[in-house]
Amino acid sequence: MKKLPLIMMGLLIFSLVPYVESASVGKASIDQVMLGLGESVTFGDYKIQFADVDQAWTQALIKVYARDGSLVTSKVLPTGYSLPVPDAQNPIFYVRVSWILASNQKILISLESDLELVQGDVNITKNGEYSLPYKFNDVVIPAIKIKVTNTYDNKADVQIKLPYETVTQTIFEGDHYGVSYKLNGDFQYSPYLYIYLKNATTNYAVFDVYLPKYPTTVFQLGEGETGGTTPSAPSAEPTELVYNDIMYEGENLTITLNETSYTVKLNTVGYYSSFSVFDDENNLIKTFEVRRGTGYIMSEAPLAVEVLSYESEYKRAYVRIYAPKGAEATPIIRDPEIHVSISASSTALLLDGDELLVFIDVENSGRGRADNVNVVASIPTGFELGSEIGTWTLSTLPPFTKMPVLVYVLKPTQVGRYSLGPVVVKYHDERGAEKEEDSGKPIQITVYALPKLSVTGEAFNGTWSTYVHTQEKTVKLKFTISAEGKDPKYEFIKNATLQLELPDSMDGEVKLYVGDIKAGETKTLESDYAILKADNAIINAKLVYQDPLGNWHEESFGNLVVVNSLPPAIEIKEVKVYPAPDELPSYVNSTLAELDNDSKVTLAEALQNITLAYLPKKGISWWPILAVLFIIVSAVLGYNYVDLKSKYDKALKELGRKKRRPGGIPKKEEAQKTEEIQSKEEQL
């Protein structure tokens, strides 16, 4: 392009105009783009047109169109002002009017984009490389690599490999280096790559890597305005996304472009995934590796491969493959592997109380997708649905995923043994063919019930009765346990014990083992009991047993039998009774003794008057007189004896006071007194 002195002057003046926008590390720009009235330039997915100008040629109308021809934005700009694209809220680049050349009826514009961090703290060892991602901000970028050829304590030697050339530079720690990218004609996007050396050692270097926020390298002036060379023909650039899905190890993807076919094979999955590309005759073109989060542009074929993520567990990677416009990728058909299982909360339950929870699991363990998944489960005989059924269909079941567990409730309606399942799953594979799988062998569910139980009691007193009266010291008791039901195979109790509640007036066995009782069966138990005391004993009982599932139950039965051991009742009546003739004296004597003196005298006189009339008349009775005389004589003799005895005792005391002389003959007076005393005693 011819450089006019006027243009150079305009650029000099423009360089003095202050910038309105700013960025932390600067901007990348394409400068000196000259447009005549009505002309345009294509920049990535946008076309920028010089649409109009005022009469004084001081302001230019700039319009920006999308690829489909729709207007994105427009604005009248004087020299030095910019138009954000697509809008001011989130601009990806700016159209800046650098100068308006009235004499030539042209304008100079610059396309500017803020530099943005692609990746920070990129650690590159000596002789190591770092590849820029295939796409940045959803824009395909050229294949650019940064290689560290040597490192030092404070600097690093780097090689920047562009598609069309390699640039060598030494960067010091804390400094940066910008690399321009050549576009059509003499234009360049500068700085396109911006690297900042944060740290350098003798073994490695750490960089921050920047690119323009809008890193497109698609640049084209209107007809007659292009010039220079490009690294590759635009028509052969892999700019179209032809595959955006997962690939498994060992899978092949065929891409057709016009009459040529390429096969991309994923060899291994990992942080560095390996790919091989073959031509339509199955000849190997190239094998390469792609690091996770980056891409690789082939020079041997118009293909670019990007790895977004990978899953080692399933040996698969999420891959994007780009090819030239018009290329098509043949879909990879995979087969799903559907597994369905059914389980229940229990395989045995009781009628009238228990419910059965049913769980259905559906899993796709294959690489293929299953569509229109439908679960069919029937309700077995002997049950009814106890709750609403959840979701039974699913539009898509991806590989290595499960449907939400399906849960529903069944209520038993009768006893017996029933089959639950199988569950059938119908689905379509990726070819659209309908298939089905089932859960296999059904589950056997047994429904039990408790029979209706009754307990009766009797006592024996010559005959059996629920009420007996006895004066015996023991009594025999009998208890009958009955179970009512329809099916003894499923209606029964086990390990039953009848526990009696005896009053303290009785003693005996209180736990009577019953055992198992089936529906329609009766058992009788007898035992002897001791009667400890008189009582009206009421005997109750409690039946303790296990149901068919092993759960314990208790059932009480009252007033089973009554044992009356009280003596006969005594009726007391007042009856006037007279003593017999031989009892009359003692009766009169006791009656008189109980009366007071006045009453006693009155009664005695009355009795005397009665008895005198019946006594016979007799002479003088000497016995009472003799008795009185005998009493008087006895009293006189007794008195004399007491007197003499006292005198004798007194004499002995006086004699005891005198001391005897040792040896010799007793005194005459003492001997005389002794003889007198002995004489009196003899007289007595």
Side-chain angles (χ1 to χ4, degrees):
M1 182 182 293
K2 186 176 181 181
K3 305 296 190 294
L4 299 176
L6 185 59
I7 295 175
M8 298 303 297
M9 185 181 298
L11 292 175
L12 179 61
I13 296 172
F14 166 70
S15 65
L16 300 176
V17 177
Y19 238 20
V20 177
E21 296 85 14
S22 63
S24 58
V25 294
K27 296 178 181 291
S29 64
I30 305 171
D31 299 324
Q32 300 182 20
V33 180
M34 182 176 290
L35 297 176
L37 186 61
E39 293 179 341
S40 61
V41 59
T42 299
F43 184 44
D45 292 332
Y46 300 93
K47 183 175 73 171
I48 298 98
Q49 182 187 39
F50 175 25
D52 204 354
V53 68
D54 64 348
Q55 293 182 354
W57 278 78
T58 58
Q59 298 182 90
L61 175 61
I62 304 299
K63 291 185 177 182
V64 180
Y65 296 91
R67 176 176 290 185
D68 59 3
S70 61
L71 181 65
V72 176
T73 183
S74 65
K75 192 174 184 180
V76 175
L77 301 174
T79 301
Y81 285 82
S82 300
L83 172 63
V85 181
D87 52 52
Q89 284 69 39
N90 186 29
I92 58 176
F93 69 92
Y94 299 87
V95 179
R96 185 182 187 88
V97 176
S98 302
W99 194 253
I100 298 176
L101 306 174
S103 58
N104 290 350
Q105 295 188 348
K106 294 182 181 292
I107 62 172
L108 291 175
I109 64 171
S110 296
L111 304 177
E112 302 168 349
S113 181
D114 292 331
L115 290 172
E116 192 170 89
L117 183 67
V118 175
Q119 187 172 348
D121 296 328
V122 178
N123 191 316
I124 308 175
T125 59
K126 184 185 294 186
N127 294 319
E129 282 188 348
Y130 166 75
S131 298
L132 267 68
Y134 177 66
K135 294 184 75 175
F136 180 62
N137 290 340
D138 293 329
V139 177
V140 177
I141 62 175
I144 300 176
K145 295 182 179 181
I146 302 172
K147 181 178 181 180
V148 175
T149 58
N150 206 353
T151 57
Y152 308 90
D153 287 335
N154 63 344
K155 63 180 180 179
D157 295 334
V158 299
Q159 287 183 351
I160 300 170
K161 298 179 180 181
L162 302 169
Y164 51 87
E165 66 177 348
T166 298
V167 179
T168 302
Q169 181 68 27
T170 298
I171 307 174
F172 285 86
E173 195 175 86
D175 203 356
H176 64 274
Y177 180 67
V179 180
S180 300
Y181 193 87
K182 293 181 180 180
L183 304 173
N184 286 336
D186 294 332
F187 296 99
Q188 59 183 6
Y189 207 167
S190 180
Y192 185 79
L193 174 64
Y194 182 93
I195 56 178
Y196 173 75
L197 180 59
K198 299 179 69 174
N199 185 26
T201 69
T202 56
N203 297 319
Y204 63 88
V206 180
F207 298 89
D208 284 344
V209 180
Y210 296 83
L211 284 176
K213 190 172 184 178
Y214 191 54
T216 181
T217 57
V218 177
F219 181 83
Q220 180 73 47
L221 285 174
E223 293 183 2
E225 296 296 331
T226 62
T229 60
T230 60
S232 59
S235 60
E237 288 185 358
T239 58
E240 296 292 327
L241 181 62
V242 295
Y243 188 80
N244 185 17
D245 206 341
I246 58 173
M247 287 188 68
Y248 291 88
E249 282 189 2
E251 282 190 337
N252 297 320
L253 177 68
T254 301
I255 299 173
T256 304
L257 176 62
N258 297 328
E259 301 297 328
T260 304
S261 296
Y262 299 95
T263 300
V264 180
K265 180 181 180 181
L266 176 57
N267 301 316
T268 59
V269 170
Y271 186 72
Y272 286 90
S273 297
S274 173
F275 293 85
S276 293
V277 178
F278 302 86
D279 61 17
D280 50 7
E281 295 181 359
N282 204 30
N283 296 317
L284 178 64
I285 298 176
K286 189 174 184 178
T287 297
F288 54 90
E289 292 182 344
V290 181
R291 182 169 58 86
R292 183 197 64 187
T294 64
Y296 182 84
I297 300 179
M298 296 183 63
S299 57
E300 297 80 3
L303 299 175
V305 179
E306 184 180 10
V307 177
L308 301 181
S309 61
Y310 70 95
E311 294 175 283
S312 299
E313 179 182 1
Y314 304 117
K315 296 183 178 181
R316 65 185 181 185
Y318 197 103
V319 177
R320 289 178 179 174
I321 298 179
Y322 298 83
K325 188 176 182 179
E328 293 182 354
T330 302
I332 301 175
I333 304 299
R334 308 180 182 94
D335 292 323
E337 292 183 17
I338 301 299
H339 302 279
V340 56
S341 63
I342 183 172
S343 59
S345 57
S346 176
T347 56
L349 64 157
L350 288 175
L351 188 67
D352 298 329
D354 288 352
E355 293 181 335
L356 187 68
L357 290 177
V358 182
F359 307 92
I360 298 176
D361 290 276
V362 180
E363 178 182 5
N364 181 8
S365 59
R367 293 182 172 184
R369 184 185 68 250
D371 298 323
N372 302 322
V373 182
N374 183 32
V375 181
V376 180
S378 59
I379 299 175
T381 304
F383 287 86
E384 64 181 8
L385 192 62
S387 68
E388 293 294 331
I389 298 176
T391 302
W392 291 93
T393 60
L394 193 66
S395 58
T396 300
L397 187 60
F400 306 109
T401 59
K402 293 182 178 181
M403 285 183 71
V405 178
L406 305 176
V407 183
Y408 62 100
V409 178
L410 293 178
K411 291 184 177 180
T413 58
Q414 59 189 26
V415 298
R417 189 171 177 85
Y418 306 99
S419 295
L420 179 63
V423 175
V424 177
V425 177
K426 297 181 179 180
Y427 64 95
H428 292 81
D429 63 14
E430 293 185 355
R431 297 176 182 85
E434 184 176 4
K435 295 185 176 182
E436 68 177 44
E437 296 288 340
D438 62 57
S439 58
K441 187 177 179 180
I443 301 173
Q444 299 300 317
I445 306 295
T446 305
V447 180
Y448 297 97
L450 289 175
K452 184 179 179 181
L453 302 172
S454 62
V455 178
T456 60
E458 291 179 296
F460 186 75
N461 187 18
T463 59
W464 291 101
S465 176
T466 58
Y467 177 88
V468 296
H469 178 82
T470 181
Q471 296 292 328
E472 302 295 331
K473 293 183 179 180
T474 61
V475 66
K476 184 182 292 293
L477 299 181
K478 178 175 65 175
F479 300 95
T480 303
I481 300 95
S482 301
E484 296 181 16
K486 298 179 180 179
D487 194 333
K489 186 176 181 181
Y490 299 104
E491 298 179 66
F492 59 88
I493 63 173
K494 55 185 181 180
N495 299 324
T497 302
L498 188 65
Q499 299 181 4
L500 303 181
E501 298 177 5
L502 295 178
D504 57 3
S505 61
M506 297 181 67
D507 187 29
E509 185 64 41
V510 295
K511 288 187 178 181
L512 304 178
Y513 183 72
V514 180
D516 301 345
I517 306 179
K518 299 179 181 180
E521 187 177 2
T522 298
K523 285 192 175 183
T524 301
L525 309 172
E526 291 186 13
S527 184
D528 292 327
Y529 293 87
I531 297 176
L532 305 179
K533 61 181 180 179
D535 188 15
N536 193 38
I538 300 175
I539 299 166
N540 303 319
K542 179 171 59 177
L543 188 63
V544 180
Y545 58 90
Q546 284 181 298
D547 61 30
L549 305 184
N551 303 310
W552 286 98
H553 300 265
E554 293 183 0
E555 195 168 344
S556 297
F557 299 89
N559 299 324
L560 294 179
V561 62
V562 179
V563 177
N564 185 356
S565 58
L566 294 174
I570 299 175
E571 185 178 358
I572 300 175
K573 293 184 179 180
E574 290 187 7
V575 179
K576 209 131 184 157
V577 179
Y578 297 97
D582 57 341
E583 296 174 346
L584 187 58
S586 62
Y587 176 74
V588 171
N589 186 42
S590 61
T591 303
L592 290 171
E594 293 177 356
L595 298 176
D596 55 38
N597 291 331
D598 294 339
S599 299
K600 186 183 301 183
V601 172
T602 302
L603 179 60
E605 291 177 350
L607 291 173
Q608 183 179 8
N609 295 330
I610 295 172
T611 58
L612 286 176
Y614 296 96
L615 291 175
K617 294 181 180 180
K618 294 181 179 181
I620 299 172
S621 179
W622 295 102
W623 287 107
I625 299 171
L626 291 176
V628 172
L629 291 175
F630 177 78
I631 292 171
I632 294 171
V633 171
S634 297
V636 170
L637 291 176
Y639 174 80
N640 290 332
Y641 174 78
V642 172
D643 182 60
L644 289 175
K645 184 73 171 62
S646 63
K647 289 179 180 180
Y648 175 73
D649 291 339
K650 183 178 180 181
L652 287 178
K653 289 181 182 180
E654 291 177 355
L655 182 63
R657 290 192 187 103
K658 295 182 178 182
K659 296 181 180 180
R660 290 183 179 183
R661 294 178 183 178
I665 299 174
K667 292 180 177 181
K668 184 178 180 179
E669 296 177 355
E670 293 177 354
Q672 187 176 355
K673 289 182 178 181
T674 303
E675 289 177 359
E676 292 178 355
I677 294 170
Q678 290 177 352
S679 176
K680 289 181 178 181
E681 290 178 352
E682 289 176 357
Q683 292 178 1
L684 295 174

